[in-house]
Amino acid sequence: MHHVEISARRIGSVQVLALPDVSHDAASLVEALNATAGDAAHVVLDLRQVTLLSVAMARAVVGFGGSVLRRGGGCSLVMAPSSRAADAVLDHFDAQHALSRHKTFAKALADAATRRSADTSGFGSAVNTLAFDSTDLEVTEEFLSASYAPMRIGSDTGTSGAHITRVATSGLSIDRLDLTFEMSYDVQPLGQICLCDIEEGTVEGHRVEEWREERSFGAGELFSFSPPDRAYVGRIVRARYGITMFDPALLEQVAGEPVRLLDHRPVDEAGARHVRRAIAHLRDDVLAVPGVGDDELVVATATQYLASAVLKAFPTSASGLDGRDSHAGVVRRAIAFVEANADRPIGLADIAAAARVSPRSVEQAFRRHLGTTPMAHLRRVRLDGARADLRASDTGDIGDTAVGRIATRWGYQRQAAFAAHYRATYGVTPRQTLHDDEPARRGLRPRADHDRLTEAVLDQFESLTGALLGAATAEDALTFLVRTACAVIPGADLVSVTLRSGDALTTAASSGAGAEQLDGIQAVAGRGPCLDVTTPEAPAQVQCDDVAAEQRWPEFAEAAVAQGHRALLTTALHDRTGALTVWSARPDGLSSADARMAVLLAMHGSLALAHARLAEQAGLRQAELRRAIESRDVIGQAKGVLMQRLGISADEAFALLRTTSQHLNTKLVEIARTVAARRDELDE
């Protein structure tokens, strides 16, 4: 008998055993396999490192697999892609393929998941609940390892503070976790799809095995922790969040083919909302309702609805959208290439090659992050270049010849097409830019345009003042402020208002998508323009002419450029509790006049916000006062009923109401309301 070293790792309920590329006698190998397998419900034998499968090793593998099957477990084999010889040897001992054979590790895991799913007869069995509370780090680690996957955790204080509740049925669990400490984690593969929805706190430094990029997630984000067969590390910082876990086989059942999630985040916020609604329906309307959660058909239907929502929300192998090829880095590389080569004859294939992805992937990346296409972005960059050339042309170089020469330089062979695109983008013809833009060459506006703009701005501010003071809520006031900023700042492509509370940032109002993500990145990174201007004693306004070259906030700048923003202007509200941010899609797209306009808008916004908050507080106080008076009246009525029916004093009646409230764990006013409403049903 020889000692055999077998590498083992646990993925959920599956034990994976990697056989060494060394010849051993069958008895030694079987003994080693039995010792390492433990009581796993399913065993995957990884033979990919075995260059030559001997007869003795094949006999041992089939013998061990047969013993697993006889005790009611499952056993699968992962073979090397070029394994005809190994197949032939195995066929001699297992001609019926009782042990399923697979060419990839993922398919072996999917087979194990499918068998587990079949064994549990669907998802609709009894509902189980549990609750866990502990401040002991070791006890918390043991619980998490037993509930999720083997893991090691650490604490910034050496202790833990964990409150966890779970509602579960076969194949699916929905948990709520409240961690009051900073927990580092090193988790083995879960063997499950694991979705996390953060309510408060952050997940930082999250990295999946064999994935190079670290990710961070903040409040309001929904994400997938890791593929089922990958370990991961990171830390959770004093967070309250929900976790939903289910068998990967469920996705395959709904998709009708093997499927995997390809990125942490959903493709868009609409998809995330859809998933949240599916989870809430399953948790609150199915599993939480006595009798409903035990109905196999109802639970199966709800879990399939959840799987469908996940497949639609996340980039998957079934959808054809490769999340790893559609991330922000692809957009950054493509934009850099386009801007450096816009005056050259480049096309989609060139842009894709520079971004190091396929043409389809770069198309998907632009649509996902910018809402446009690579070629549409190239055309806009070329038009911006042509406009700059027209504005910089010598005043003697005016006419169709100059327009034609500039159009040709920027890739337009037909001057009519150039003129049509130019007018659609800028509202004037190329010749008008040549003739009328001489004042702009000196940094001035034409006088007539200036007068029209001033009159329009005054009208906007007059409307703004009335609307802000008449706003019923702070949300209404800030929404109108954003709309006005879009109207009076010529270079504004996106405007948002961010409110700050401590180190947390909330997007209170926005004219378009993307602002919430950028605020979240600032909060997680701990740096960004909104944090800068809302810091006491710091400058109240920050202007950046080219975000791509910004060094102060690298994480924020990277995400902003990926969304298509190139210039920004962030101005603090008067009390430093928030900031107004104006974005432009063009470098140098915001002027000093825009900066002054932003200061005026921020001042109006601050006054309106204070006014609206006072109105809200007054309304809340009035509502509280009304509720207090109503509660007092109801309690008085109930006391009177008890005094009359039971012949007791007012103090005794109140004491009876209070004792009943405590016994039933129901608010005293609700007990009183019931007594007052059902007085005729009380015994004399």
Side-chain angles (χ1 to χ4, degrees):
M1 300 284 286
H2 301 286
H3 178 67
V4 183
E5 290 286 346
I6 293 179
S7 175
R9 61 170 172 157
R10 192 85 168 202
I11 301 179
S13 61
V14 179
Q15 184 80 333
V16 181
L17 307 180
L19 275 64
D21 189 21
V22 179
S23 295
H24 293 282
D25 61 272
S28 298
L29 187 55
V30 170
E31 181 182 15
L33 288 170
N34 283 322
T36 314
D39 59 351
H42 196 102
V43 179
V44 173
L45 298 180
D46 189 349
L47 306 178
R48 290 175 295 177
Q49 300 302 316
V50 179
T51 55
L52 180 63
L53 185 68
S54 66
V55 172
M57 184 175 287
R59 182 186 296 112
V61 165
V62 174
F64 166 76
S67 68
V68 174
L69 296 178
R70 283 191 294 275
R71 64 175 170 80
C75 187
S76 306
L77 309 180
V78 185
M79 316 286 291
S82 55
S83 57
R84 292 183 180 179
D87 279 327
V89 176
L90 286 169
D91 283 343
H92 182 72
F93 300 100
D94 183 23
Q96 301 302 317
H97 287 216
L99 308 182
S100 58
R101 305 175 196 175
H102 306 278
K103 300 300 183 184
T104 67
F105 187 59
K107 288 184 178 179
L109 283 181
D111 175 63
T114 301
R115 291 171 186 268
R116 291 200 310 275
S117 178
D119 291 342
T120 57
S121 302
F123 287 83
S125 58
V127 177
N128 301 305
T129 61
L130 64 81
F132 172 83
D133 278 284
S134 180
T135 57
D136 186 297
L137 189 64
E138 185 175 348
V139 171
T140 301
E141 180 179 273
E142 290 178 357
F143 176 82
L144 294 175
S145 295
S147 301
Y148 300 100
M151 69 178 71
R152 296 297 303 275
I153 67 172
S155 167
D156 57 338
T157 62
T159 61
S160 73
H163 174 68
I164 303 170
T165 59
R166 165 175 288 184
V167 57
T169 187
S170 181
L172 178 139
S173 63
I174 301 176
D175 304 347
R176 294 183 69 85
L177 299 91
D178 190 353
L179 304 184
T180 59
F181 68 110
E182 181 174 324
M183 184 185 83
S184 62
Y185 53 83
D186 185 344
V187 185
Q188 295 302 305
L190 292 166
Q192 302 273 302
I193 301 296
C194 182
L195 305 178
C196 179
D197 192 4
I198 305 179
E199 298 175 20
E200 292 182 6
T202 57
V203 173
E204 301 175 2
H206 183 79
R207 183 171 57 81
V208 175
E209 178 186 24
E210 297 182 9
W211 290 16
R212 290 176 296 185
E213 293 186 355
E214 285 190 355
R215 300 290 183 89
S216 294
F217 308 94
E221 288 198 81
L222 173 75
F223 67 95
S224 168
F225 261 115
S226 171
D229 60 341
R230 301 287 178 88
Y232 57 92
V233 299
R235 65 184 182 278
I236 299 174
V237 182
R238 295 172 179 82
R240 186 167 68 243
Y241 56 101
I243 281 184
T244 302
M245 290 178 42
F246 57 88
D247 199 313
L250 183 61
L251 293 183
E252 183 174 342
Q253 292 170 10
V254 174
E257 60 179 294
V259 63
R260 67 186 190 278
L261 304 186
L262 300 174
D263 196 15
H264 290 293
R265 289 184 168 94
V267 173
D268 53 32
E269 185 56 34
R273 287 195 297 269
H274 190 191
V275 173
R276 287 191 180 101
R277 286 196 296 269
I279 293 172
H281 168 64
L282 186 55
R283 180 190 64 229
D284 301 334
D285 302 332
V286 178
L287 300 182
V289 179
V292 177
D294 297 327
D295 188 307
E296 181 175 344
L297 180 60
V298 173
V299 175
T301 302
T303 52
Q304 289 171 4
Y305 171 61
L306 170 61
S308 177
V310 171
L311 288 170
K312 291 179 181 178
F314 286 84
T316 70
S317 55
S319 68
L321 175 59
D322 191 332
R324 289 170 292 183
D325 283 353
S326 63
H327 56 72
V330 170
V331 178
R332 290 196 306 275
R333 292 193 293 269
I335 287 176
F337 175 78
V338 166
E339 294 186 350
N341 298 276
D343 58 344
R344 297 178 55 240
I346 60 174
L348 180 61
D350 302 298
I351 297 172
R356 303 194 292 275
V357 295
S358 67
R360 178 179 178 179
S361 291
V362 78
E363 285 266 10
Q364 292 169 333
F366 267 73
R367 290 187 185 280
R368 175 180 176 183
H369 292 285
L370 303 180
T372 186
T373 66
M375 296 309 293
H377 179 73
L378 172 62
R379 185 173 72 184
R380 180 56 189 263
V381 170
R382 285 174 168 169
L383 285 172
D384 285 346
R387 187 187 190 203
D389 282 357
L390 289 168
R391 301 178 78 175
S393 294
D394 187 275
T395 53
D397 188 17
I398 294 177
D400 291 339
T401 301
V403 172
R405 174 175 51 77
I406 291 172
T408 301
R409 182 196 169 195
W410 291 102
Y412 283 90
Q413 300 303 317
R414 295 175 54 246
Q415 189 171 328
F418 170 67
H421 289 162
Y422 191 95
R423 183 176 188 122
T425 302
Y426 303 114
V428 296
T429 66
R431 285 180 59 84
Q432 286 176 308
T433 300
L434 275 172
H435 283 289
D436 300 340
D437 217 36
E438 174 59 23
R441 296 186 183 97
R442 303 195 306 267
L444 303 173
R445 289 186 180 274
R447 183 68 210 176
D449 288 347
H450 180 272
D451 290 342
R452 286 194 298 272
L453 179 62
T454 301
E455 184 177 351
V457 169
L458 289 175
D459 289 342
Q460 290 285 351
F461 267 94
E462 184 177 352
S463 301
L464 174 66
T465 302
L468 290 181
L469 293 178
T473 66
E475 182 180 0
D476 292 341
L478 296 178
T479 299
F480 198 88
L481 175 66
V482 163
R483 288 205 301 265
T484 303
C486 290
V488 301
I489 297 180
D493 294 307
L494 174 70
V495 177
S496 65
V497 174
T498 304
L499 299 182
R500 178 175 181 178
S501 177
D503 292 328
L505 297 176
T506 303
T507 307
S510 175
S511 65
E516 187 172 351
Q517 180 192 4
L518 295 173
D519 285 342
I521 289 172
Q522 293 183 74
V524 171
R527 52 187 173 183
C530 291
L531 290 173
D532 284 358
V533 301
T534 54
T535 299
E537 309 304 326
Q541 188 174 70
V542 169
Q543 184 166 2
C544 179
D545 294 329
D546 188 356
V547 179
E550 182 56 59
Q551 301 297 317
R552 289 172 289 181
W553 330 293
E555 304 90 346
F556 171 82
E558 176 182 337
V561 172
Q563 288 190 13
H565 305 305
R566 295 303 300 272
L568 72 83
L569 186 61
T570 300
T571 307
L573 300 183
H574 180 64
D575 56 0
R576 302 275 185 152
T577 59
L580 171 72
T581 299
V582 181
W583 297 93
S584 175
R586 295 168 297 283
D588 300 310
L590 299 169
S591 67
S592 58
D594 295 332
R596 292 192 295 273
M597 188 69 68
V599 172
L600 291 174
L601 287 165
M603 186 180 300
H604 275 71
S606 300
L607 295 173
L609 187 60
H611 177 79
R613 283 172 172 167
L614 286 174
E616 288 178 347
Q617 290 170 2
L620 288 173
R621 284 195 297 270
Q622 290 177 355
E624 289 171 356
L625 181 59
R626 283 196 300 271
R627 285 195 296 270
I629 293 172
E630 290 169 0
S631 297
R632 186 187 64 185
D633 290 343
V634 169
I635 293 171
Q637 293 171 21
K639 286 167 58 179
V641 170
L642 295 175
M643 291 167 63
Q644 179 188 11
R645 298 297 175 91
L646 303 180
I648 58 179
S649 67
D651 290 342
E652 290 171 330
F654 184 81
L656 178 58
L657 289 171
R658 183 176 57 196
T659 302
T660 305
S661 170
Q662 294 170 348
H663 179 70
L664 297 178
N665 195 25
T666 303
K667 291 182 178 179
L668 190 148
V669 68
E670 297 300 330
I671 298 293
R673 187 172 286 115
T674 301
V675 170
R678 304 175 66 176
R679 66 182 67 190
D680 295 334
E681 298 177 26
L682 295 176
D683 293 333
E684 294 289 322

